[in-house]
Structures are given as C-alpha cells and as structure tokens.
Amino acid sequence: MKFNLDGLDVYFPYDRIYLEQFEYMRSLKQTLDAGGHCLLEMPTGTGKTVCLLSLITSYQMANPNDCGKLVYCTRTVPEMNSVMEELGVVLGYRAEMLRLERESTATAEAAMIVSDVPTSGDGIDATTSNDATQQQQQRQRRQPKKRKRVYGPKTKTNKLGPSTDECGAGGNGALALCLSSRRNMCIHEGVLRESDREGVDAACRSMTAPWALERAKKMRERGQGAGRQQQPPQQQQQSSSSGGVQSDQQQQQQQQSFGGTCTYFDGFREAGEATSMPSGVYDLEELKKWGSAKGWCPYYLTRQAINHASVLVFNYQYMLDPKVAKMVSKELESESVIVFDEAHNIDSVCIEAAVEGSGTRHAEPGEAFGGDQQGKASDGARLQAEYQSLVNGLVDQGLLDAHPNEVGLASNILSPDVVAESVPGNIRRAEHFVAFMKKIVEHLKARLRTVSGPTGGVTSETPLAFLHRMITTTSLEAKPLKFAHSRLSSLLRTLQVPNLDDFNALTDVADFASLVATYSEGLPRFAIIMEAAVGGTPNPGIQLACLDSSLAIAPLFKRFGSVIITSGTLSPIDLYPKLLQFEPCISASFNMSTFRPCIHPLVITRGSDQLPVSTKFNDRGDMGVVRNYGTMMVELCSTIPDGVVAFFTSYSYMESIVSEWDGMGIMRQLTKSKLVFIETKDVVETTMALDNFRRACDSGRGAVFLSVARGKVSEGINFDRHYGRAVIMFGVPFQYTLSHILRARLEYLQTQYQIREQDFLNFDALRQASQCVGRVIRSKIDYGLMIFADARYNRHDKRSKLPKWILQFLGDGQLNLSTDTAIGQVKHFLRIMAQPVDQESLKQVLLTVEEVRGMVRCEDDAPAATVVS
C-alpha cells in the first residue's frame, strides 16, 4: 500500500498493516523530522525491519537534500542477508508503484489529447475516438491487478542484484550494499582454503598490500613470474628468528610461497574509475557473483562503492569499533540515518569495542624483534626514509592513519582523542622505539610477577595511577606512550611485514600503552585489573576494562543527526539514555495487536511438591530444587508437541544440573518423549546440534534444545513455528557478580550516573530473559509458551521490567503457579491454539489503506503509542 503519513508518501510493500507498525513508522517520521535520536521497542515478530526500511527509504526519496544514507547495523551475517532480502521487497514494490503511476499519468495525458482532437473534418471519426477511450479505460481497469501482484511478503519484485527497472532500484536508481569481512566476501579459491578469519586476512594482505604490489611489479619487470598469478599461502612457517624482521632474501622466498598478486584485486585496480556498480540491491552472494563476473574483488569493490550507495548494511563494529570505523565509515555524511537493530545489548557492544587486554603471552617483544639486527641491514633504506618522514610529522605525511587495506594496524583510540602532533624524537628511530617497547613490556612483566607471587592478589587501578607508577619505574615519558601504537603501525608497514598476526601480542601491548596514556586524564573511564588467573587459565594477566559504554557511541550521537536504537526487548527503556549519555527525542514502547492470545507467559514458582524453585546461589545445589526442575522439564516435554527450548543461566550450571538429572534417571525419562540436544562452547558442535534439532522437529519426533542465556543461540537463532512451541527460562540470568570488571563498572555507574547496583543487575538480567523467551514467536499466526521457572519472577520488581508486549498477556492467573497447575494451563492453551486460524479475525487487526488514511485524517482520535519518560 501507499499512504501519506504526516505529509510523507510511504511505500509499504503489503496490502495491510498492523496498528503497531503504523505507530512505529509515525515515531520514526517524527524522529527524522526533529533531527534527533530515538529509542523504540517493537514487539517481536511484528515486522519491525520492513517498517524501518519502508519509512526511511521513502523519507530519503522525498528529502534527497536533507536525508543522507541509511546505515543499517545488524549483529550477524544471516540477519544482514535477511535485511537485504526485505529491502529488495521494499524497493521492488516502490519501483512497481512508480512505474504504474507513470503509466497512469501517460494514459491521462493521452486521454486529454484524444478529447481535444475534433471528431470530424480532420480524418478522425467518432468511432476511432471511442475505441481509443475504451482502450484507455481497459488499461486503467488492469492497473489495480498489477498492483495486487506486489502485495504480499515475497513477490517477484524482491529480486536481488542489478535492477532491471528502467529507472533503477526503487524507481530512483537506489544502490544498496552490504559489507562484511574478507572471509565472507572473498572469491579467490586459494585464500578461501584458509580455515579461520586471521588466515584469510593474512593471505589477502600478502597479495594486496602496497609493498606486495610493488614487489610483484618489480618481479614482472625482471621477467620473474611474468604473466603468472600464483596461489596465496597455506600456512606461513615461522623462521628461527620467530617472527623477526626478515631479510630481502627471506621475503622473496616467502613471497614466492605466498604467490603473486590476486587477479581479482588486479582487475579492480586496472578498472579504476570504471568500477562503478549499477543500481540494485546486493547481498553477499550477489556481490560475489557480480565481482566474479567482472573479474573484480567484491570486498574492495564494495569498500569503494560505499560513497555512492544510498543504503548500507553491515555489522555494529563498522560504526562502533574505532579500528574499523576509521577505515569504513569515516566519510559518511552527517545527514545519514544510523539504525541499530536488535540493540538491547548495545551498551555491552560499546564496551567491547573499547576494551583491550594484555597478559604474559603478550609480553615477549624480545622474540618479536629478535631478528632486528639482521633485518636492519636490508631494511636500512626504508627505515631511514621512515625516520625522515617522522621528523616532518606524522600528520603531514599521512602516516597517522593506517592504509585502507590494513585494518589490523588501526588503533582503538577514538579519532577526536588522537594527538595531532609529530612523533616525539626519542622513538623516531626504529632501534630507539624497540628499546622503548622493551621497557614497557619489562614493566608489565614485573607488575604481573607481583600479582602472581605468594603475596599477590587481584589489583585494580585507575589509568592515572597505573601510568604514574610506570613513569616512575621506567623513567619513560607520558607523551611517547600516546604514540606507541601509531609508531608500531608505521614500523610494521615500513618493514613490509606480510603476516601481522605474528605481531598481535606486541600490537596489543602498544595499544594498551596508548589507551592508558590517552585516557589517563579527567574522568577515569577505564579500570586496569591485574589478576593471577585470567580466562580460566593459571596465567596472570592485565586487563584494561572500559567502564563507560557511552565512550564508543558518543561520536555517533554528535556526528549524525538521527541515530535509531530499536529492538523487541529494550525494557526498561528509561535506563539506556543514562548508560549511553544521550537525550532521545522519542522513547516509545508498543503493545502487540493480536486476534488471539498467541503467547502465553507462565511464572512457575513451585514444584509438584509445593517446594519453591529458584536458581539462587544458596538454592541451586539443593536436591529438591534439582528434582523439581527435572520433573517440570519431563512433564512439559511430554505435554508440548514438537520443539522445546530450555535456557539456563550459565554453562557451568547447565552442565551440573544435567549431570544430576542423569544420575536421577530424569534424562532417560526425557528421551522417551523427545530427543535431547545441548549447546556447547564449540561453534561447530552447536551448529550440528541445531541442524539435528530441526530435523527431529520436522520428522515429528520432537526435540528439546538445552541452551544458555547470553550464548550464541539466545541472540541470533529463531525458533519459530513447530521448532519452538515453548521456551523455558530456568532461573534469572544475572551476571557473575564476583567479576572484578563488573564490580568496577557497577561502582562507576553508581558514582557517575547514580544508577544503583541492583537496578542495573535487574535491568541486565531481565532483558536477557526477555531476549531468550522472545525466540518463540516470529509472526501473528505463530504461537508459543513462555515459561519463567523461578520464584523471583513473581516479584513485581522483576516482572515489571519485562517488555510491555509480554506483560499484556501475563495476567494474575498466570503468576505463582505450581508445576501441576501450569501443566493444566499449558494443555488448555495448546488446545485453543490447535484450532485453524480464523482469517476473518486476522483481518480485524490488519488495517487497509483506507483505514490508514482515515487514521491520518483523524490523528487526534487514533490510539497513541505509549511514551516512556
């Protein structure tokens, strides 16, 4: 349908619309008009993505000078491809509508011309005129039928790839691109043989780095390897110098093993300005197909075409991570609209983007630069040229920013905080800088020895205290420390190091030193935690933890006019402005319009023996609680058909309770009704388990999937239809409160933002629980059970933080239930939902275009979205 929303023609690719979709798009329109930011919570499975794409792309077309690119940020590659597919539907529908409008206009003009022509005396009789009029009327009657072809979720107009419409994609020549890592976009067969992302990056860099291209050019000029494109490396063998600086002979031998340059990258470079992309919607597969047909590298082609695209879709890190953002999104215009979808964990993502850690394994610069004297003889000319460049200043020479092809050399420091000065004289020469880095590492080793010693323990310091102690002990200055990472990046580029992964440890140390020196002054936004054991290993380590989640996203709020943060589980929504330090112009949470109670939340507080059930630390080991949970699982799985998903609070708790259930014989009883699959920390194992889980559900055998809150399954996997008829949340997924990093952040939030510790912990736990149970529903005709199995959910301070669209289905009769009572409600709910869908009732919650237009005319009488202050 096409309707006018507050003066904006919106092209929505379905013939009906939900009320919450209309209110959601109205809030988006008001945000864009105000040029501000917003927080919007939209019920799961109600078409949030198509609303975002329809409204913003329509706004772009209506305001080409005031609205820039649409930058749509997702979390995973499947979500990215889903967005591109939906965008193809939206733009395909708009192109079809505009074509019909053009035809209608041409028909009307032709009718006017025919009506002005005399019916006699000029060789045209009345019969001819009537025939023309009848033909025009027939074309007009056929037009609505053409429009109906594009109604519906998946039509022929959602074709991805280059547009076949004469006016381009969307009817106005739109170009939509998605960007991912080299591993997901590379089409070079040799590079794709690498098993991990680091190997793919190293293989690609060995054939596309400036020094590699220059060396290949010289080899061709000498007739060595002319007309020959070799394969990239399989696995680089470390020399006796263990990653030291290599001589020319070593690098030539390694280049031979790495092969020449990439044919696709060479074709991309040779095409130059001709590497423009036609209008269309390109997902990852279409980009690889287009690049392969043209002989151009899809990754670099997309990087170049970003400036010409009207819609960009990529991962959060391309906007939030300073390393990647400097390479990809730095040239986006300030009028761009930034959308963070599924952004319930955006504060955690922002913290991860600014976190850097170092441990004993990172502190070995002697090995990293062991071959320095040998390499110095062959690389002397390059080092001397670099020294002269540094004397003239990093900024003037353009060495402060990493080469666009070398994202691994970028720093975590935000661009506004980079010191725009020349590199200090005491680290300009390579040998002086190596000695400088050795001092830093020796100091870190000494600090770690004090932590791991008999009198050691966990130590937490502010960056200022840590820096003061480092300066006092090593006699180093603070200013050179700020340049440590930039100077190391320049050195590695000068030495033409092919595999930067060999220097990851040293890069981490340099980045750590730069961050500490840069953010030591003013408000302590970082905490330095030194522990005797890190990450479950006995090795001591130093962790630089970011405490302020607004640090990474603050530049986006300042730079771009509109940043939209949306998800199905943002409640309690009023805490995000405090955490991210911004003022949204609209903060709204919407209810779900439905023709039947398609979700049925239950709060089970007691087992069949009336004993309370909870995963509180003091109760989780109680055998009565473990037995009640097991009995609950068996009875639910024997009652609920098809797929059931159960979430636990942690991997350790899931492993312990499954072990106890096995000893009690509960697992044997469970397998009588359903097959059991378990999520593990191994990605491959979990993927296989999910595939077999779906096969068991498809075959009618039924299955139960045991998973963990905050895991991969809870974030990116949907259990719609028969794959998830029920989700069971065992316990409240609080964070590990004894974590020293968490304690430091809680103290920071209390001191700086007056957010109480318990408020934040409840907020974080309930949004994770909501995200888990939200996996069960993906559309209005879908249905499922949401079972909260913990007595604490019965408390008002817990359940009130659930999203409004869940609370609207949670009545008093569904609280404080025992297992037996809950089973009765489960049977009643499933019996009702098993009836065929009443299509007439479904249409009652769907608005037609006439009803939408009536709501626009009577805006004051329309139900308003709930605004959360």
Side-chain angles (χ1 to χ4, degrees):
M1 67 171 67
K2 174 188 175 183
F3 61 93
N4 188 280
L5 178 62
D6 299 337
L8 174 68
D9 288 333
V10 179
Y11 295 89
F12 189 74
Y14 299 88
D15 55 352
R16 291 175 180 266
I17 186 174
Y18 296 122
L19 176 61
E20 58 266 34
Q21 290 179 319
F22 177 79
E23 295 294 342
Y24 185 79
M25 287 193 283
R26 172 178 288 171
S27 297
L28 287 172
K29 170 70 164 48
Q30 293 171 351
T31 300
L32 298 178
D33 287 341
H37 317 303
C38 70
L39 282 165
L40 299 176
E41 183 180 56
M42 181 76 160
T44 298
T46 52
K48 175 174 74 275
T49 301
V50 70
C51 289
L52 283 163
L53 297 174
S54 298
L55 190 284
I56 300 178
T57 54
S58 298
Y59 197 91
Q60 279 181 317
M61 189 176 70
N63 303 274
N65 297 326
D66 299 329
C67 185
K69 293 179 173 59
L70 165 59
V71 181
Y72 199 107
C73 300
T74 65
R75 298 173 304 171
T76 63
V77 172
E79 287 179 0
M80 180 188 305
N81 289 329
S82 176
V83 171
M84 298 304 294
E85 183 179 0
E86 197 72 70
L87 182 61
V89 175
V90 172
L91 294 184
Y93 171 77
R94 191 176 75 187
E96 181 74 4
M97 289 295 295
L98 292 176
R99 184 184 65 79
L100 293 174
E101 290 175 3
R102 291 193 300 269
E103 290 182 359
S104 177
T105 302
T107 301
E109 292 176 353
M112 292 178 62
I113 294 174
V114 171
S115 63
D116 292 339
V117 175
T119 59
S120 62
D122 290 327
I124 300 178
D125 56 13
T127 303
T128 305
S129 175
N130 291 334
D131 291 343
T133 304
Q134 290 177 2
Q135 292 176 4
Q136 294 159 12
Q137 292 176 352
Q138 291 176 359
R139 283 196 295 267
Q140 290 176 354
R141 285 195 297 267
R142 286 197 300 267
Q143 286 177 7
K145 295 181 180 179
K146 293 181 180 179
R147 291 179 58 186
K148 287 184 179 179
R149 285 193 300 108
V150 296
Y151 293 156
K154 298 293 180 289
T155 68
K156 294 181 180 179
T157 57
N158 67 340
K159 181 179 182 296
L160 300 177
S163 175
T164 56
D165 190 271
E166 59 181 2
C167 295
N172 66 338
L175 175 62
L177 302 172
C178 59
L179 179 63
S180 186
S181 63
R182 290 179 173 90
R183 183 180 183 181
N184 295 324
M185 300 188 70
C186 183
I187 55 177
H188 194 291
E189 295 182 359
V191 174
L192 292 178
R193 294 195 188 103
E194 300 295 331
S195 59
D196 55 2
R197 180 181 59 83
E198 291 77 10
V200 171
D201 289 346
C204 179
R205 191 181 299 112
S206 70
M207 296 186 292
T208 60
W211 59 264
L213 299 176
E214 183 66 24
R215 185 181 299 276
K217 180 180 178 181
K218 292 180 179 179
M219 291 175 63
R220 286 193 294 269
E221 291 175 353
R222 293 196 303 262
Q224 298 178 6
R228 183 165 52 103
Q229 300 292 342
Q230 301 181 11
Q231 297 295 329
Q234 298 300 320
Q235 182 69 36
Q236 182 182 7
Q237 300 294 330
Q238 293 185 350
S239 61
S240 58
S241 61
S242 183
V245 178
Q246 300 163 325
S247 65
D248 281 343
Q249 182 179 2
Q250 289 174 322
Q251 288 192 355
Q252 288 176 3
Q253 293 175 355
Q254 189 178 60
Q255 183 69 14
Q256 291 293 335
S257 64
F258 272 52
T261 56
C262 173
T263 55
Y264 298 104
F265 185 72
D266 290 344
F268 167 75
R269 291 175 62 245
E270 291 173 1
E273 296 297 330
T275 56
S276 59
M277 299 187 64
S279 172
V281 180
Y282 300 84
D283 64 356
L284 294 178
E285 289 302 319
E286 288 296 333
L287 284 171
K288 291 193 287 187
K289 186 186 302 182
W290 173 261
S292 179
K294 291 289 185 179
W296 298 341
C297 173
Y299 177 77
Y300 289 102
L301 174 63
T302 307
R303 289 271 296 271
Q304 177 176 290
I306 280 178
N307 294 332
H308 309 288
S310 56
V311 182
L312 298 174
V313 182
F314 44 56
N315 190 272
Y316 281 22
Q317 302 300 331
Y318 286 81
M319 295 299 297
L320 296 175
D321 190 340
K323 289 183 177 180
V324 186
K326 291 175 184 177
M327 309 295 172
V328 176
S329 58
K330 64 179 181 179
E331 296 182 0
L332 295 178
E333 57 266 41
S334 60
E335 295 82 10
S336 299
V337 179
I338 313 300
V339 175
F340 289 101
D341 194 10
E342 299 297 337
H344 47 276
N345 284 336
I346 191 168
D347 56 316
S348 301
V349 176
C350 291
I351 284 180
E352 291 173 1
V355 165
E356 188 65 45
S358 75
T360 51
R361 66 182 181 85
H362 294 162
E364 299 296 341
E367 294 183 4
F369 283 97
D372 182 62
Q373 296 300 323
Q374 178 183 357
K376 187 175 174 183
S378 58
D379 297 321
R382 289 196 297 268
L383 292 174
Q384 182 63 29
E386 181 202 34
Y387 171 73
Q388 294 298 332
S389 298
L390 295 175
V391 169
N392 296 331
L394 273 177
V395 178
D396 295 337
Q397 296 298 318
L399 294 178
L400 193 60
D401 294 328
H403 190 273
N405 298 356
E406 299 172 349
V407 179
L409 295 179
S411 172
N412 270 337
I413 301 176
L414 299 172
S415 297
D417 300 322
V418 174
V419 181
E421 302 176 17
S422 297
V423 172
N426 57 347
I427 59 172
R428 288 176 184 168
R429 291 197 177 276
E431 57 270 25
H432 296 165
F433 176 67
V434 171
F436 174 84
M437 289 300 298
K438 285 182 178 180
K439 283 188 177 182
I440 295 176
V441 174
E442 290 301 326
H443 174 74
L444 296 181
K445 285 182 176 180
R447 294 300 305 269
L448 289 175
R449 283 194 292 268
T450 62
V451 172
S452 58
T455 59
V458 178
T459 304
S460 177
E461 294 182 2
T462 65
L464 182 60
F466 189 90
L467 180 64
H468 177 73
R469 186 164 180 174
M470 177 186 291
I471 293 174
T472 304
T473 305
T474 62
S475 301
L476 298 175
E477 298 178 1
K479 184 176 179 179
L481 289 171
K482 296 181 180 180
F483 290 90
H485 190 278
S486 299
R487 182 66 186 89
L488 178 61
S489 300
S490 174
L491 180 61
L492 293 178
R493 286 195 298 273
T494 301
L495 297 177
Q496 302 178 357
V497 175
N499 193 354
L500 296 177
D501 294 334
D502 291 342
F503 294 89
N504 278 343
L506 191 61
T507 303
D508 288 342
V509 173
D511 203 10
F512 174 85
S514 297
L515 285 168
V516 170
T518 302
Y519 295 107
S520 60
E521 300 176 357
L523 189 66
R525 296 180 171 183
F526 290 85
I528 298 174
I529 312 294
M530 291 173 285
E531 300 180 84
V534 177
T537 64
N539 300 323
I542 302 176
Q543 296 180 345
L544 180 63
C546 179
L547 308 178
D548 188 359
S549 55
S550 68
L551 186 63
I553 201 172
L556 302 185
F557 289 133
K558 295 178 181 179
R559 178 181 169 193
F560 299 106
S562 294
V563 177
I564 299 168
I565 298 176
T566 184
S567 178
T569 53
L570 286 178
S571 295
I573 203 170
D574 58 339
L575 206 57
Y576 285 91
K578 293 182 180 179
L579 292 174
L580 302 179
Q581 287 297 288
F582 78 108
E583 295 183 3
C585 62
I586 291 182
S587 181
S589 179
F590 303 93
N591 285 328
M592 178 188 291
S593 63
T594 179
F595 66 101
R596 62 175 184 173
C598 55
I599 60 175
H600 194 69
L602 298 173
V603 177
I604 301 179
T605 61
R606 306 182 308 278
S608 300
D609 56 3
Q610 303 302 312
L611 291 178
V613 291
S614 177
T615 60
K616 290 192 298 185
F617 184 76
N618 295 332
D619 298 339
R620 64 174 54 184
D622 185 271
M623 287 296 103
V625 173
V626 174
R627 186 181 301 106
N628 277 328
Y629 272 147
T631 304
M632 182 191 306
M633 173 70 84
V634 171
E635 293 186 12
L636 287 172
C637 288
S638 62
T639 305
I640 301 171
D642 300 320
V644 176
V645 185
F647 288 97
F648 297 86
T649 55
S650 65
Y651 284 104
S652 59
Y653 180 63
M654 180 177 68
E655 292 170 0
S656 64
I657 199 170
V658 169
S659 177
E660 294 291 345
W661 285 353
D662 187 51
M664 296 177 181
I666 292 176
M667 296 302 294
R668 288 193 298 273
Q669 299 178 41
L670 189 60
T671 53
K672 292 179 181 178
S673 57
K674 296 187 185 300
L675 298 179
V676 181
F677 300 92
I678 301 179
E679 176 187 6
T680 66
K681 296 181 180 180
D682 185 86
V683 177
V684 177
E685 290 181 357
T686 301
T687 302
M688 293 179 61
L690 276 171
D691 181 61
N692 290 326
F693 168 81
R694 295 182 184 277
R695 291 172 59 190
C697 294
D698 291 336
S699 67
R701 175 65 171 84
V704 57
F705 196 90
L706 307 184
S707 185
V708 175
R710 305 177 193 277
K712 296 295 183 182
V713 173
S714 67
E715 289 293 332
I717 306 298
N718 295 325
F719 295 92
D720 57 333
R721 299 180 290 115
H722 62 291
Y723 297 123
R725 289 306 179 200
V727 171
I728 310 171
M729 185 70 241
F730 287 106
V732 184
F734 286 107
Q735 293 192 53
Y736 180 56
T737 54
L738 297 182
S739 167
H740 299 287
I741 295 178
L742 177 61
R743 301 305 307 176
R745 189 184 180 197
L746 292 174
E747 182 180 353
Y748 177 84
L749 293 176
Q750 174 70 40
T751 304
Q752 301 299 330
Y753 303 144
Q754 290 73 53
I755 299 176
R756 296 189 306 169
E757 174 182 322
Q758 197 59 40
D759 289 342
F760 177 78
L761 292 176
N762 286 336
F763 154 78
D764 182 71
L766 268 296
R767 67 175 172 179
Q768 295 298 332
S770 302
Q771 185 65 19
C772 292
V773 298
R775 302 294 94 197
V776 76
I777 184 79
R778 304 312 301 174
S779 69
K780 294 293 181 72
I781 60 175
D782 197 7
Y783 64 90
L785 292 150
M786 298 179 177
I787 301 174
F788 299 92
D790 195 298
R792 290 172 289 181
Y793 286 112
N794 200 51
R795 295 167 50 181
H796 184 268
D797 67 321
K798 295 292 190 298
R799 70 172 186 271
S800 63
K801 292 180 173 57
L802 293 172
K804 288 188 62 180
W805 59 273
I806 294 180
L807 291 177
Q808 75 180 90
F809 297 100
L810 183 60
D812 294 338
Q814 296 153 244
L815 301 175
N816 198 21
L817 303 177
S818 64
T819 301
D820 296 336
T821 308
I823 293 296
Q825 291 201 23
V826 168
K827 292 179 179 179
H828 179 71
F829 171 77
L830 293 175
R831 189 159 46 246
I832 295 175
M833 291 297 106
Q835 306 305 315
V837 175
D838 187 354
Q839 296 297 327
E840 294 300 323
S841 299
L842 177 60
K843 290 182 180 179
Q844 293 179 3
V845 299
L846 289 167
L847 304 176
T848 63
V849 63
E850 291 78 12
E851 292 171 331
V852 171
R853 290 169 181 168
M855 291 179 61
V856 173
R857 288 193 298 268
C858 305
E859 182 178 353
D860 294 337
D861 298 332
T866 303
V867 178
V868 183
S869 59

